Amino acid sequence: MIRKPLLLVSLILALSFSAFARQSNTFKNLAGTPAEMDSMRLPDARNLGTSSKAAMLPIRFKNGKATLEFPVETTEYLRFSLLAPNSGDWKIIASSEANKNINLRDNTELVDKEFGEIGLDGVKFPAEVFSLGSIQNGTWNIEISAPKGSSLRENTTVGYLVVSSRSPYQIYTYVDTHQTLVGRNIGINVSVFDNSAENASPLSAELPESIRTISGEMTLPNGSIQKLTFDNNGSGNFVPRTVGQYAIQIIVEGITPKGESFVRTSEQIVQVLGDRVSFGKSSYTDLIDDTRMQINLPTNGLQSGRKVIVHGEIWARNDDGETPIAWLGGISVAEGKGFRTNLPVTLDGRWLANADTKGGFELRNVRIQDADYFVTLAETKKIDLTITSIPENAKNFSGVITDEMRMGKRPNLPTTSDAVGGKLMLVHGYCAGGNSFTTSNFSNYIIFNDPNQNRTHDQFANLIKNFGASYPSFGIVAHSQGGAASLHLYTYYWSGLDNATGGSRLIQSVGTPYQGTALAGNLAALGSVFGAGCGANNNLSESGATSWLAGIPSWARAKVNYYTTSFKDVWYRYDYCNIATDLFLNDPDDGVIEQGRGQLSGALNRGHKTGWCHTTSMRDPGQTTDSSRNAEMNSLAAR
């Protein structure tokens, strides 16, 4: 529909301003250049998968015994790990063709036994790890027996036996859609790849026809178990019927190019939402002021008051034909009645003036994502956009792209107390018991404290924002998930971070899984067995983290200075940060995240340092206790 020029300007501005004011005091209005468009689009779902080098086999008792049989193709650093509560009195006997009746707890000649923990920051489950030497490969049989009178649930998973070795053959599992919604078909794909291949990646080094058998189970939000079936190509699917978190385990028995048999498992989380959202056919703009306008994006099925992340691209015509203008987006709250709503998205008119447009406006590659889980609720290739005129002041654009064009107009954010001066905020990680940084290494600091909690990045970011509102400004030094939450805060919300001065570094992080960690899926499975912990966090999974990163622009990433660490590797021993998590992670790692998964493209990598682990309970000292790094972060921090 072609809208006539606005006649009642003052009334329109008043109405628009009331809607704008509710959002502008909280949310940033994100935008960027056409050169950034590709990086702001969601990645192909095939790249959101999880790789696994281990097998996490369910332990299920029948008549007081549990028997597991599986192939092992290489025995280099062969290790078995028992993950089960109250398992100290279980008897564990391992046998193969060449090695009979090895008592894993008592045989000190062939078995080295160690105790460890598997977890993320504050969530840790006990693990008993058995390392075997002078052992041949082949089929292994593990028999686990419990004392008579033990109260064990029969035919139910009561723990896991993890099998791991230094083999290059891994499995890769991915969900084929970003729209994991109730009633929608969700495909799961599994393949085998050679991690030792040159420039190896799960897709480039795939080994076809290497899967012999494949099976799967899915724990539904209500705790019940559903079987998954797969075809010979490693493809399966399911249709979720309820909202919640689905924990999936897939067991693959395969064969290497040398004809050796192996077993691997994959554990991952799928967050399912219930929204059924679609877009209207066309969108239009209202003036906000003499520089900005509001795009009203019509939606069906999105309830009024629902907070989401919106992303899209503006295209138009100019003398050269079709041309990209800018990408734009950010957090928006649906406005209207019932489920017929508009999503307001602010557009700075200077982007249009910069492109010298001639009309023919369109929104392209539009998507709506949940603000907590980054699940795509709706997406479309194109929506018509009616723009009747460019705001007057925008026509005088100088050609210099400003922070205001990228983030929106900065509001006045009053503090909630009389605190004087900016602070350096120390932020802990996921489910941590509290601050882990050595405070004597810092000055003029405050401590954010939300102990033993499982928060999404958005929930975490808002807690940081609200805590920091007591101060006129703050910079951040963060550990683990705290780094991702801080970047989320700076990207989507106005806060005291935007007022920080006096130092060259706004956000600094240590050990942050910007690209997720494979342990997120393992913890989902273990939580149902141990019945403890904070619960699984989809934002920390490899797929959840990648979906989140797609919305983080280059100008926000550039404000992050990050560090990674790993164990000290010496020639005379087998090295690791955490013996239990080492069974799942690819070296080098800090006991929670792999070095590669700690990278943030577009940010400032301040280096990788060995001899430091994720937390203080690991083999090397905790990375937050490194006094030299802490002193560097303190001296260079903005406040």
Side-chain angles (χ1 to χ4, degrees), residues 56-76:
M56 188 168 158
L57 304 175
I59 299 172
R60 293 168 180 163
F61 279 89
K62 185 176 181 180
N63 299 323
K65 288 187 178 181
T67 302
L68 298 94
E69 187 174 280
F70 51 86
V72 173
E73 82 282 15
T74 178
T75 57
E76 183 181 6

PDB file of all heavy atoms in Angstrom, residues 56-76:
ATOM      1  N   MET A  56      29.966 -42.293  25.188  1.00  0.00           N
ATOM      2  CA  MET A  56      29.389 -42.162  26.534  1.00  0.00           C
ATOM      3  C   MET A  56      28.230 -43.162  26.612  1.00  0.00           C
ATOM      4  O   MET A  56      27.100 -42.865  26.248  1.00  0.00           O
ATOM      5  CB  MET A  56      28.926 -40.713  26.734  1.00  0.00           C
ATOM      6  CG  MET A  56      28.490 -40.359  28.121  1.00  0.00           C
ATOM      7  SD  MET A  56      28.314 -38.554  28.234  1.00  0.00           S
ATOM      8  CE  MET A  56      27.212 -38.426  29.636  1.00  0.00           C
ATOM      9  N   LEU A  57      28.546 -44.382  27.076  1.00  0.00           N
ATOM     10  CA  LEU A  57      27.619 -45.499  26.971  1.00  0.00           C
ATOM     11  C   LEU A  57      26.742 -45.603  28.222  1.00  0.00           C
ATOM     12  O   LEU A  57      27.249 -45.636  29.351  1.00  0.00           O
ATOM     13  CB  LEU A  57      28.402 -46.801  26.783  1.00  0.00           C
ATOM     14  CG  LEU A  57      29.356 -46.813  25.576  1.00  0.00           C
ATOM     15  CD1 LEU A  57      30.164 -48.101  25.557  1.00  0.00           C
ATOM     16  CD2 LEU A  57      28.593 -46.635  24.271  1.00  0.00           C
ATOM     17  N   PRO A  58      25.426 -45.682  28.052  1.00  0.00           N
ATOM     18  CA  PRO A  58      24.520 -45.767  29.205  1.00  0.00           C
ATOM     19  C   PRO A  58      24.720 -47.062  29.993  1.00  0.00           C
ATOM     20  O   PRO A  58      24.885 -48.143  29.414  1.00  0.00           O
ATOM     21  CB  PRO A  58      23.126 -45.727  28.569  1.00  0.00           C
ATOM     22  CG  PRO A  58      23.318 -45.193  27.189  1.00  0.00           C
ATOM     23  CD  PRO A  58      24.689 -45.634  26.774  1.00  0.00           C
ATOM     24  N   ILE A  59      24.705 -46.942  31.304  1.00  0.00           N
ATOM     25  CA  ILE A  59      24.772 -48.101  32.197  1.00  0.00           C
ATOM     26  C   ILE A  59      23.366 -48.398  32.687  1.00  0.00           C
ATOM     27  O   ILE A  59      22.734 -47.549  33.328  1.00  0.00           O
ATOM     28  CB  ILE A  59      25.713 -47.832  33.386  1.00  0.00           C
ATOM     29  CG1 ILE A  59      27.137 -47.568  32.889  1.00  0.00           C
ATOM     30  CG2 ILE A  59      25.696 -48.999  34.366  1.00  0.00           C
ATOM     31  CD1 ILE A  59      28.087 -47.114  33.984  1.00  0.00           C
ATOM     32  N   ARG A  60      22.881 -49.603  32.389  1.00  0.00           N
ATOM     33  CA  ARG A  60      21.535 -50.003  32.791  1.00  0.00           C
ATOM     34  C   ARG A  60      21.604 -51.393  33.426  1.00  0.00           C
ATOM     35  O   ARG A  60      22.071 -52.344  32.801  1.00  0.00           O
ATOM     36  CB  ARG A  60      20.589 -49.998  31.584  1.00  0.00           C
ATOM     37  CG  ARG A  60      20.347 -48.591  31.058  1.00  0.00           C
ATOM     38  CD  ARG A  60      19.670 -48.580  29.715  1.00  0.00           C
ATOM     39  NE  ARG A  60      19.466 -47.192  29.267  1.00  0.00           N
ATOM     40  CZ  ARG A  60      19.199 -46.843  28.010  1.00  0.00           C
ATOM     41  NH1 ARG A  60      19.122 -47.773  27.069  1.00  0.00           N
ATOM     42  NH2 ARG A  60      19.027 -45.583  27.704  1.00  0.00           N
ATOM     43  N   PHE A  61      21.148 -51.496  34.644  1.00  0.00           N
ATOM     44  CA  PHE A  61      21.237 -52.746  35.386  1.00  0.00           C
ATOM     45  C   PHE A  61      20.025 -53.642  35.134  1.00  0.00           C
ATOM     46  O   PHE A  61      18.905 -53.168  34.933  1.00  0.00           O
ATOM     47  CB  PHE A  61      21.343 -52.466  36.884  1.00  0.00           C
ATOM     48  CG  PHE A  61      22.732 -52.105  37.340  1.00  0.00           C
ATOM     49  CD1 PHE A  61      23.157 -50.787  37.334  1.00  0.00           C
ATOM     50  CD2 PHE A  61      23.609 -53.091  37.772  1.00  0.00           C
ATOM     51  CE1 PHE A  61      24.433 -50.453  37.749  1.00  0.00           C
ATOM     52  CE2 PHE A  61      24.890 -52.766  38.190  1.00  0.00           C
ATOM     53  CZ  PHE A  61      25.299 -51.439  38.180  1.00  0.00           C
ATOM     54  N   LYS A  62      20.304 -54.946  35.142  1.00  0.00           N
ATOM     55  CA  LYS A  62      19.261 -55.953  35.121  1.00  0.00           C
ATOM     56  C   LYS A  62      19.725 -57.092  36.012  1.00  0.00           C
ATOM     57  O   LYS A  62      20.807 -57.659  35.792  1.00  0.00           O
ATOM     58  CB  LYS A  62      19.010 -56.450  33.695  1.00  0.00           C
ATOM     59  CG  LYS A  62      17.836 -57.415  33.607  1.00  0.00           C
ATOM     60  CD  LYS A  62      17.557 -57.807  32.161  1.00  0.00           C
ATOM     61  CE  LYS A  62      16.364 -58.743  32.076  1.00  0.00           C
ATOM     62  NZ  LYS A  62      16.078 -59.141  30.664  1.00  0.00           N
ATOM     63  N   ASN A  63      18.934 -57.383  37.033  1.00  0.00           N
ATOM     64  CA  ASN A  63      19.291 -58.405  38.021  1.00  0.00           C
ATOM     65  C   ASN A  63      20.643 -58.126  38.666  1.00  0.00           C
ATOM     66  O   ASN A  63      21.468 -59.024  38.869  1.00  0.00           O
ATOM     67  CB  ASN A  63      19.298 -59.795  37.373  1.00  0.00           C
ATOM     68  CG  ASN A  63      17.941 -60.188  36.825  1.00  0.00           C
ATOM     69  OD1 ASN A  63      16.913 -59.862  37.420  1.00  0.00           O
ATOM     70  ND2 ASN A  63      17.936 -60.870  35.696  1.00  0.00           N
ATOM     71  N   GLY A  64      20.889 -56.862  38.955  1.00  0.00           N
ATOM     72  CA  GLY A  64      22.096 -56.476  39.683  1.00  0.00           C
ATOM     73  C   GLY A  64      23.350 -56.360  38.853  1.00  0.00           C
ATOM     74  O   GLY A  64      24.426 -56.118  39.397  1.00  0.00           O
ATOM     75  N   LYS A  65      23.234 -56.544  37.516  1.00  0.00           N
ATOM     76  CA  LYS A  65      24.413 -56.446  36.662  1.00  0.00           C
ATOM     77  C   LYS A  65      24.117 -55.589  35.435  1.00  0.00           C
ATOM     78  O   LYS A  65      22.987 -55.520  34.971  1.00  0.00           O
ATOM     79  CB  LYS A  65      24.878 -57.835  36.214  1.00  0.00           C
ATOM     80  CG  LYS A  65      25.516 -58.661  37.311  1.00  0.00           C
ATOM     81  CD  LYS A  65      26.091 -59.950  36.750  1.00  0.00           C
ATOM     82  CE  LYS A  65      26.782 -60.758  37.848  1.00  0.00           C
ATOM     83  NZ  LYS A  65      27.381 -62.007  37.315  1.00  0.00           N
ATOM     84  N   ALA A  66      25.183 -54.979  34.923  1.00  0.00           N
ATOM     85  CA  ALA A  66      25.104 -54.234  33.662  1.00  0.00           C
ATOM     86  C   ALA A  66      26.264 -54.684  32.790  1.00  0.00           C
ATOM     87  O   ALA A  66      27.406 -54.753  33.255  1.00  0.00           O
ATOM     88  CB  ALA A  66      25.178 -52.728  33.899  1.00  0.00           C
ATOM     89  N   THR A  67      25.976 -55.013  31.538  1.00  0.00           N
ATOM     90  CA  THR A  67      27.006 -55.483  30.615  1.00  0.00           C
ATOM     91  C   THR A  67      27.058 -54.575  29.398  1.00  0.00           C
ATOM     92  O   THR A  67      26.028 -54.293  28.778  1.00  0.00           O
ATOM     93  CB  THR A  67      26.729 -56.929  30.169  1.00  0.00           C
ATOM     94  OG1 THR A  67      26.673 -57.770  31.319  1.00  0.00           O
ATOM     95  CG2 THR A  67      27.819 -57.413  29.234  1.00  0.00           C
ATOM     96  N   LEU A  68      28.255 -54.111  29.073  1.00  0.00           N
ATOM     97  CA  LEU A  68      28.460 -53.264  27.905  1.00  0.00           C
ATOM     98  C   LEU A  68      29.502 -53.914  27.003  1.00  0.00           C
ATOM     99  O   LEU A  68      30.576 -54.300  27.472  1.00  0.00           O
ATOM    100  CB  LEU A  68      28.930 -51.862  28.307  1.00  0.00           C
ATOM    101  CG  LEU A  68      27.978 -51.034  29.182  1.00  0.00           C
ATOM    102  CD1 LEU A  68      28.317 -51.222  30.646  1.00  0.00           C
ATOM    103  CD2 LEU A  68      28.055 -49.562  28.813  1.00  0.00           C
ATOM    104  N   GLU A  69      29.182 -54.034  25.726  1.00  0.00           N
ATOM    105  CA  GLU A  69      30.108 -54.598  24.753  1.00  0.00           C
ATOM    106  C   GLU A  69      30.301 -53.592  23.627  1.00  0.00           C
ATOM    107  O   GLU A  69      29.333 -53.057  23.088  1.00  0.00           O
ATOM    108  CB  GLU A  69      29.571 -55.912  24.195  1.00  0.00           C
ATOM    109  CG  GLU A  69      30.559 -56.653  23.309  1.00  0.00           C
ATOM    110  CD  GLU A  69      30.059 -58.015  22.895  1.00  0.00           C
ATOM    111  OE1 GLU A  69      30.159 -58.952  23.719  1.00  0.00           O
ATOM    112  OE2 GLU A  69      29.537 -58.124  21.771  1.00  0.00           O
ATOM    113  N   PHE A  70      31.572 -53.340  23.274  1.00  0.00           N
ATOM    114  CA  PHE A  70      31.855 -52.298  22.290  1.00  0.00           C
ATOM    115  C   PHE A  70      33.220 -52.537  21.665  1.00  0.00           C
ATOM    116  O   PHE A  70      34.097 -53.162  22.263  1.00  0.00           O
ATOM    117  CB  PHE A  70      31.828 -50.914  22.956  1.00  0.00           C
ATOM    118  CG  PHE A  70      32.669 -50.831  24.193  1.00  0.00           C
ATOM    119  CD1 PHE A  70      34.021 -50.529  24.133  1.00  0.00           C
ATOM    120  CD2 PHE A  70      32.111 -51.074  25.443  1.00  0.00           C
ATOM    121  CE1 PHE A  70      34.799 -50.463  25.261  1.00  0.00           C
ATOM    122  CE2 PHE A  70      32.883 -51.025  26.605  1.00  0.00           C
ATOM    123  CZ  PHE A  70      34.234 -50.719  26.510  1.00  0.00           C
ATOM    124  N   PRO A  71      33.437 -52.046  20.436  1.00  0.00           N
ATOM    125  CA  PRO A  71      34.741 -52.192  19.781  1.00  0.00           C
ATOM    126  C   PRO A  71      35.665 -51.016  20.092  1.00  0.00           C
ATOM    127  O   PRO A  71      35.215 -49.886  20.295  1.00  0.00           O
ATOM    128  CB  PRO A  71      34.373 -52.203  18.300  1.00  0.00           C
ATOM    129  CG  PRO A  71      33.153 -51.343  18.225  1.00  0.00           C
ATOM    130  CD  PRO A  71      32.408 -51.536  19.521  1.00  0.00           C
ATOM    131  N   VAL A  72      36.956 -51.283  20.139  1.00  0.00           N
ATOM    132  CA  VAL A  72      37.979 -50.253  20.307  1.00  0.00           C
ATOM    133  C   VAL A  72      38.992 -50.420  19.181  1.00  0.00           C
ATOM    134  O   VAL A  72      39.592 -51.489  19.044  1.00  0.00           O
ATOM    135  CB  VAL A  72      38.678 -50.364  21.675  1.00  0.00           C
ATOM    136  CG1 VAL A  72      39.858 -49.398  21.755  1.00  0.00           C
ATOM    137  CG2 VAL A  72      37.685 -50.100  22.806  1.00  0.00           C
ATOM    138  N   GLU A  73      39.189 -49.377  18.356  1.00  0.00           N
ATOM    139  CA  GLU A  73      40.062 -49.513  17.190  1.00  0.00           C
ATOM    140  C   GLU A  73      41.507 -49.144  17.474  1.00  0.00           C
ATOM    141  O   GLU A  73      42.410 -49.522  16.731  1.00  0.00           O
ATOM    142  CB  GLU A  73      39.530 -48.675  16.019  1.00  0.00           C
ATOM    143  CG  GLU A  73      39.876 -47.195  16.046  1.00  0.00           C
ATOM    144  CD  GLU A  73      39.029 -46.384  16.999  1.00  0.00           C
ATOM    145  OE1 GLU A  73      38.347 -46.974  17.879  1.00  0.00           O
ATOM    146  OE2 GLU A  73      39.029 -45.150  16.877  1.00  0.00           O
ATOM    147  N   THR A  74      41.757 -48.381  18.544  1.00  0.00           N
ATOM    148  CA  THR A  74      43.128 -48.066  18.924  1.00  0.00           C
ATOM    149  C   THR A  74      43.199 -47.985  20.436  1.00  0.00           C
ATOM    150  O   THR A  74      42.246 -47.539  21.090  1.00  0.00           O
ATOM    151  CB  THR A  74      43.613 -46.744  18.317  1.00  0.00           C
ATOM    152  OG1 THR A  74      44.949 -46.470  18.773  1.00  0.00           O
ATOM    153  CG2 THR A  74      42.732 -45.577  18.738  1.00  0.00           C
ATOM    154  N   THR A  75      44.292 -48.441  20.993  1.00  0.00           N
ATOM    155  CA  THR A  75      44.428 -48.423  22.442  1.00  0.00           C
ATOM    156  C   THR A  75      45.449 -47.388  22.912  1.00  0.00           C
ATOM    157  O   THR A  75      45.877 -47.413  24.056  1.00  0.00           O
ATOM    158  CB  THR A  75      44.835 -49.816  22.954  1.00  0.00           C
ATOM    159  OG1 THR A  75      46.047 -50.206  22.313  1.00  0.00           O
ATOM    160  CG2 THR A  75      43.741 -50.822  22.675  1.00  0.00           C
ATOM    161  N   GLU A  76      45.839 -46.496  22.027  1.00  0.00           N
ATOM    162  CA  GLU A  76      46.735 -45.420  22.452  1.00  0.00           C
ATOM    163  C   GLU A  76      45.976 -44.501  23.393  1.00  0.00           C
ATOM    164  O   GLU A  76      44.978 -43.897  23.017  1.00  0.00           O
ATOM    165  CB  GLU A  76      47.253 -44.641  21.245  1.00  0.00           C
ATOM    166  CG  GLU A  76      48.259 -43.559  21.625  1.00  0.00           C
ATOM    167  CD  GLU A  76      48.760 -42.777  20.420  1.00  0.00           C
ATOM    168  OE1 GLU A  76      48.234 -42.997  19.310  1.00  0.00           O
ATOM    169  OE2 GLU A  76      49.662 -41.951  20.593  1.00  0.00           O
TER     170      GLU A  76
END
